[in-house]
Amino acid sequence: MEIRRSYCGLCHPRCGTLLHIEDGKVVKITGDPDHPISRGAICPRGRLMLDHIYHPQRLNHPLKRVGNKGEGRWQRVSWDQALDEVAGKLANLRERHGAETLAFTHGTKRTYHWDCRRFFNLFGSPNTCGVNTICMCPSYATEYATYGGMILGSEVPGARCVVVWGCNASKSNPVGLYPQIMQARKNGARLIVIDPRRTKEAEVADIWLQIRPGTDLALLLGWIRHIIVNDLYDHDFVANWTVGFEDLKSAVDSYTPEKVSEITSLPVEDIVKAADMYISNRPAVIPFGLGMDKQGVNATQCARARAILRAIAGNLEIPGGETFSLAGEIGKIRDAEYLELNERISPEQRAKQLGSNEYPFFGFPGWEMNSAANKKLPPGYMAAPEAWHSCLAHAREVMKAIITGEPYPVTAAITLANNPLLALPNTQQVFKALQSLELYVVMDYYLTPSAALADYVFPASTTVEQPELWLTPGFCMACPQGIDPIEQRRTSYDLYRGLGLRLGQEKDWPWENVEQVYDHCLEPVGLTFRQLADQYGILGRREYRRYEQFGFGTPSGKVELKSSIFEKLGAAPLPRYREPLWSPVGSPDLAREYPLILITGSRFMPMYHSEQRQIEKARQQVPDPLVSIHPDTAKKLGLSEGDWAVISTPHGSIRQRVKLSDAIHPSMADTQHSWWFPERAPNLPDLFGVFESNANMLCPDDPEFCSPEIGSWPHSALLCRIEKEAAPHGAR
Ligand SMILES: Nc1nc2c(c(=O)[nH]1)N[C@H]1C(S)=C(S)[C@@H](COP(=O)(O)OP(=O)(O)OC[C@H]3O[C@@H](n4cnc5c(=O)[nH]c(N)nc54)[C@H](O)[C@@H]3O)O[C@H]1N2
Ligand SMILES: Nc1nc2c(c(=O)[nH]1)N[C@H]1C(S)=C(S)[C@@H](COP(=O)(O)OP(=O)(O)OC[C@H]3O[C@@H](n4cnc5c(=O)[nH]c(N)nc54)[C@H](O)[C@@H]3O)O[C@H]1N2
Ligand code: SF4
Ligand SMILES: [Mo]
């Protein structure tokens, strides 16, 4: 038995693993106890890695469609043939319609991404879009505009108060954030949880605020007002390091505890008690939670208000507080921003980015302003804003252009590490768009419902079959490849380089494989990828109050409580609460027909979004899609545990099984997201049952549901109706 070091990539943290290998085959995978970050831990999903590597449904060869789209008839082809044909078609479409005719859809960061950006910049298309519009990236871009970087290195265990705000870490981040929160608790920190559901964290919290979904911005503004009015803010910091305080004061003036109570449905005393607990127990941290990013119309300003709160409370860059990227050698390493080659796409092509008229802050104009402010800081001092994170076309506008040909024809798309039919809202429109494409290329581990509509499908290598340089603001890990790629599986780098070489980009892809790219990235620190892998990686060094030396990476060099970048781009420079379009308050007539508040997508183990559905051990744990409702609600609706129910919004209907839970408020329902059934027919009309239980059939994405600054769409804070399924499925 041979033991080789590798890593897990079934979600973000890249936990270190040991592969136990017999006759060239992995037979067992355990956590690597010497890994400096994960220290031997792997989560229940990581334990499914072995099943994933050798799963019989894995794609092992490129496929070319031979029947009609979605008919399920494929021909196995070589990589060379597939790349030649795709590149030929792309050249032709670019000739006919311009480079902007090619779009890209991405999921949550699962592969290198800069390779995609590089290819698109060189090809000349600004139209890469995907889930970043709602996942962390609104916070990322907004925090850059507010204080010149994103808080990602917070010292949660050292905090005296942790606010778990719209975050379900016990289920979503069981190896990283959750143990840190529990460690802080053990060290005596106060714990405040703000969540419509009584999560595991809420059960042990000092205060749990069961907020009405979609109203967090009002609560944030209420806290800010309370802290200002009662003179509890950090005077020195506000005076020396912020701009716009007087404007902020007026902007929050009306958010009295009484008004906030009315909006959020929280008791006045609890609102005040929680704000006092937060401000009187410094250092305090508010880790990122998707519960804020996924609420649509208020999402962007939630991120702004959270940033403002952290700043005026004096929690930025102090020990145990909210820290940015760490200092030291890692600042010298060539990062994604360096590799993306954003300077190579022309201003004319940038201007064609779909959605950038509606949402300039999240397109090239906002990214350019964030980048210009960042460049005033010394090199390597603060991570530069990466375009793949914060410079996107808007998915709704891309889908519309594919369907209508307006404002110009979008005829081709690449999807890589994403399942757009399950991840994006308004599945109905996404489906229509994918069907309308002249050329659709997908690279994935499995034939997903989205891949089933493709013209070419490329097989992706598992993380253990490829190396990765995992550069985060806190550390840089060299994650070693454990085994040779199986069959014809390859990396995303191989796909983009392969296309690039065939489309006149030879000079810009000098490195034959991704390891050579990493050697190039590490040159400034004098190490090769393998040398770094031998020592696992480089950890950043904590330094505090670095702004005292260089200021903040914003246009004013200070924390912009009133954002000049937002103002220049026509977005509200100070937050103001908006009532969601569908809500008991915003649309009482609709609420009579759809009486429950709908949240979707609360994370659960072991599934990761649409993944693991084909892995037997995972399906044994969660065989069917579940909608959670309170027992009192179920009783009123005549529903019992395990019943199949129909969940409807004005946008669509799906079916899921009822799970009774008193963790959720009786006025709410929580549907799991991203459900499809790999065991079902792979061709249309069933398409693996992708329309049957998929929460995004329920979620709208029209402009009035989205945040006006970024276009973040709602996966939460909606309205629905739940009924018992009238007849067994299929007999309807
Ligand atoms: N209703 C609702 N919808 C949501 C959400 C919600 O809460 N509610 N959450 C949203 C959020 S935050 C996110 S991030 C998105 C996630 O959206 P996605 O990232 O699209 O979700 P996944 O299903 O994890 O991944 C999509 C595909 O990528 C493949 N894949 C994974 N790793 C790799 C890789 O390394 N290479 C390649 N080529 N393929 C890979 C998987 O097999 C899978 O088919 O969903 C969003 N959609
Ligand atoms: N098991 C598992 N883990 C995952 C993922 C997965 O698919 N499965 N996906 C990964 C990805 S890409 C992401 S982005 C993270 C997200 O991880 P988290 O930030 O934990 O996000 P969620 O679980 O979507 O939602 C967090 C909480 O927000 C609450 N919530 C819903 N609406 C609102 C609201 O309006 N206000 C407030 N305050 N709370 C609300 C929900 O009840 C839920 O408890 O998880 C990552 N980890
Ligand atoms: S948390 Fe679990 S799934 Fe994610 S990388 Fe670590 S072991 Fe893998
Ligand atoms: Mo996400």
Side-chain angles (χ1 to χ4, degrees):
M1 177 96 70
E2 186 192 348
I3 294 187
R4 272 190 229 150
R5 274 178 41 210
S6 195
Y7 64 107
C8 177
L10 291 177
C11 80
H12 296 139
R14 297 327 196 238
C15 299
T17 57
L18 297 176
L19 308 183
H20 302 242
I21 298 176
E22 227 171 60
D23 298 331
K25 219 182 145 182
V26 186
V27 292
K28 192 167 115 179
I29 298 178
T30 52
D32 178 357
D34 298 327
H35 192 277
I37 310 288
S38 60
R39 297 177 192 283
I42 41 173
C43 77
R45 180 171 45 251
R47 283 181 220 127
L48 302 173
M49 180 54 115
L50 191 56
D51 301 68
H52 172 56
I53 301 174
Y54 298 112
H55 198 281
Q57 287 171 11
R58 281 290 295 268
L59 295 163
N60 289 321
H61 303 270
L63 298 175
K64 176 184 178 177
R65 170 173 72 81
V66 285
N68 292 325
K69 257 182 201 281
E71 197 186 323
R73 293 204 294 128
W74 303 95
Q75 180 192 357
R76 187 189 280 190
V77 292
S78 69
W79 266 85
D80 273 338
Q81 181 186 340
L83 287 170
D84 286 346
E85 291 182 14
V86 170
K89 285 173 203 253
L90 286 177
N92 180 281
L93 291 171
R94 178 167 62 180
E95 188 72 34
R96 273 165 50 207
H97 305 294
E100 62 279 10
T101 201
L102 173 64
F104 172 72
T105 79
H106 66 249
T108 188
K109 181 185 161 51
R110 301 303 289 286
T111 173
Y112 311 137
H113 278 271
W114 53 262
D115 50 1
C116 164
R117 251 352 246 226
R118 189 179 184 96
F119 174 78
F120 270 75
N121 283 329
L122 296 170
F123 187 81
S125 173
N127 289 325
T128 72
C129 72
V131 301
N132 284 3
T133 303
I134 53 106
C135 176
M136 203 194 82
C137 300
S139 301
Y140 180 90
T142 298
E143 290 184 32
Y144 268 89
T146 308
Y147 37 57
M150 183 169 180
I151 300 289
L152 280 169
S154 294
E155 284 179 276
V156 177
R160 288 187 56 224
C161 177
V162 181
V163 188
V164 177
W165 202 318
C167 175
N168 184 19
S170 62
K171 303 290 185 298
S172 62
N173 198 345
V175 170
L177 183 59
Y178 183 66
Q180 292 180 20
I181 295 170
M182 290 304 120
Q183 185 58 48
R185 195 76 178 117
K186 249 194 219 147
N187 298 346
R190 300 292 185 177
L191 181 60
I192 303 171
V193 172
I194 300 161
D195 200 298
R197 299 180 314 131
R198 194 182 65 240
T199 55
K200 201 167 163 189
E201 293 83 342
E203 280 172 5
V204 296
D206 293 292
I207 303 180
W208 167 44
L209 300 178
Q210 190 172 28
I211 195 165
R212 172 165 75 93
T215 64
D216 299 78
L217 179 55
L219 182 61
L220 280 157
L221 298 178
W223 278 23
I224 294 171
R225 178 189 175 278
H226 178 79
I227 287 167
I228 294 176
V229 170
N230 294 289
D231 207 18
L232 302 170
Y233 60 94
D234 184 329
H235 282 249
D236 282 350
F237 185 84
V238 166
N240 297 320
W241 293 107
T242 69
V243 292
F245 185 67
E246 289 306 316
D247 294 308
L248 173 69
K249 226 161 130 177
S250 332
V252 298
D253 191 41
S254 66
Y255 293 89
T256 59
E258 292 70 26
K259 175 172 160 178
V260 173
S261 165
E262 213 171 282
I263 297 173
T264 57
S265 76
L266 297 168
V268 168
E269 324 64 270
D270 286 2
I271 294 168
V272 172
K273 196 171 135 198
D276 282 334
M277 188 177 282
Y278 171 74
I279 198 67
S280 56
N281 288 285
R282 286 176 57 209
V285 293
I286 316 175
F288 167 79
L290 187 71
M292 283 206 224
D293 275 24
K294 78 198 300 183
Q295 51 182 267
V297 70
N298 288 308
T300 311
Q301 295 293 357
C302 271
R304 278 271 299 144
R306 182 181 53 205
I308 290 169
L309 178 64
R310 288 168 172 160
I312 64 162
N315 280 317
L316 292 186
E317 293 255 88
I318 60 170
E322 312 268 27
T323 47
F324 298 103
S325 42
L326 303 188
E329 288 281 278
I330 56 169
K332 295 188 196 158
I333 296 168
R334 292 173 176 145
D335 59 6
E337 210 274 324
Y338 167 91
L339 293 168
E340 283 173 347
L341 297 187
N342 295 302
E343 66 282 7
R344 299 283 290 279
I345 183 166
S346 69
E348 296 73 41
Q349 288 308 102
R350 288 184 181 200
K352 291 179 189 163
Q353 191 173 46
L354 292 164
S356 76
N357 287 337
E358 293 84 348
Y359 311 112
F361 177 66
F362 216 50
F364 274 104
W367 174 80
E368 283 162 7
M369 288 185 186
N370 274 340
S371 297
N374 180 276
K375 288 210 169 77
K376 293 194 304 189
L377 300 172
Y381 161 74
M382 183 74 83
E386 291 168 359
W388 72 264
H389 248 112
S390 56
C391 179
L392 296 179
H394 194 274
R396 178 193 67 229
E397 298 303 310
V398 171
M399 298 302 149
K400 262 204 219 154
I402 296 172
I403 295 166
T404 63
E406 297 294 336
Y408 52 74
V410 175
T411 57
I414 301 175
T415 285
L416 196 148
N418 172 223
N419 205 346
L421 283 173
L422 287 142
L424 294 173
N426 193 358
T427 311
Q428 295 88 335
Q429 172 164 284
V430 176
F431 174 60
K432 213 164 152 191
L434 298 186
Q435 273 196 312
S436 314
L437 285 165
E438 266 183 60
L439 174 67
Y440 187 36
V441 176
V442 173
M443 185 171 192
D444 203 295
Y445 295 139
Y446 297 93
L447 193 76
T448 63
S450 307
L453 293 177
D455 300 291
Y456 291 87
V457 182
F458 288 87
S461 42
T462 321
T463 44
V464 297
E465 299 167 82
Q466 63 188 45
E468 182 162 7
L469 191 70
W470 188 244
L471 182 56
T472 80
F475 51 82
C476 177
M477 289 290 134
C479 307
Q481 176 175 342
I483 55 170
D484 288 338
I486 293 166
E487 304 273 6
Q488 295 297 307
R489 300 177 192 172
R490 303 256 180 97
T491 67
S492 61
Y493 182 77
D494 294 322
L495 176 81
Y496 289 116
R497 180 169 188 267
L499 292 176
L501 296 182
R502 288 165 174 80
L503 286 162
Q505 306 174 5
E506 300 87 337
K507 279 204 195 96
D508 293 299
W509 300 92
W511 310 285
E512 274 171 30
N513 57 50
V514 75
E515 189 174 323
Q516 291 177 12
V517 179
Y518 294 145
D519 287 341
H520 177 71
C521 291
L522 290 168
E523 255 170 35
V525 291
L527 288 170
T528 63
F529 179 81
R530 297 219 172 172
Q531 285 167 337
L532 186 64
D534 284 342
Q535 63 183 64
Y536 285 97
I538 303 174
L539 298 184
R541 195 174 62 242
R542 281 199 191 281
E543 283 179 3
Y544 304 102
R545 297 193 176 87
R546 288 183 300 166
Y547 54 83
E548 287 176 353
Q549 216 177 336
F550 304 113
F552 289 92
T554 58
S556 61
K558 299 202 172 173
V559 176
E560 300 206 350
L561 304 175
K562 180 178 180 189
S563 167
S564 64
I565 293 184
F566 271 46
E567 193 162 37
K568 277 208 180 100
L569 294 172
L574 285 156
R576 180 174 62 81
Y577 172 73
R578 289 182 176 78
E579 186 58 35
L581 197 66
W582 289 350
S583 82
V585 179
S587 45
D589 288 344
L590 194 72
R592 271 187 282 281
E593 232 183 301
Y594 298 94
L596 296 173
I597 301 175
L598 174 69
I599 64 186
T600 76
S602 302
R603 277 40 177 164
F604 62 100
M605 289 302 276
M607 309 298 188
Y608 202 73
H609 302 291
S610 70
E611 296 176 54
Q612 288 83 35
R613 299 303 192 281
Q614 54 285 93
I615 293 182
E616 224 171 80
K617 287 178 196 150
R619 284 298 280 284
Q620 279 163 4
Q621 294 172 48
V622 194
D624 299 307
L626 299 175
V627 53
S628 298
I629 47 175
H630 194 278
D632 295 349
T633 313
K635 207 163 161 196
K636 267 196 214 149
L637 298 171
L639 286 161
S640 313
E641 176 91 14
D643 281 350
W644 281 97
V646 177
I647 306 131
S648 310
T649 69
H651 195 77
S653 287
I654 59 169
R655 64 194 294 268
Q656 299 200 345
R657 275 192 122 123
V658 171
K659 183 181 168 202
L660 299 183
S661 165
D662 66 358
I664 188 161
H665 194 274
S667 69
M668 300 172 196
D670 178 23
T671 61
Q672 292 182 342
H673 75 303
S674 279
W675 269 94
W676 62 292
F677 307 93
E679 64 276 17
R680 297 262 291 266
N683 50 316
L684 285 168
D686 196 41
L687 206 66
F688 296 114
V690 70
F691 308 110
E692 195 174 302
S693 301
N694 173 355
N696 282 315
M697 294 288 291
L698 307 176
C699 298
D701 65 352
D702 294 319
E704 57 274 27
F705 292 95
C706 298
S707 76
E709 304 83 5
I710 282 180
S712 313
W713 46 75
H715 288 306
S716 180
L718 297 163
L719 286 177
C720 75
R721 176 173 69 221
I722 301 191
E723 297 148 296
K724 192 163 180 161
E725 197 168 48
H729 187 62
R732 271 181 300 160

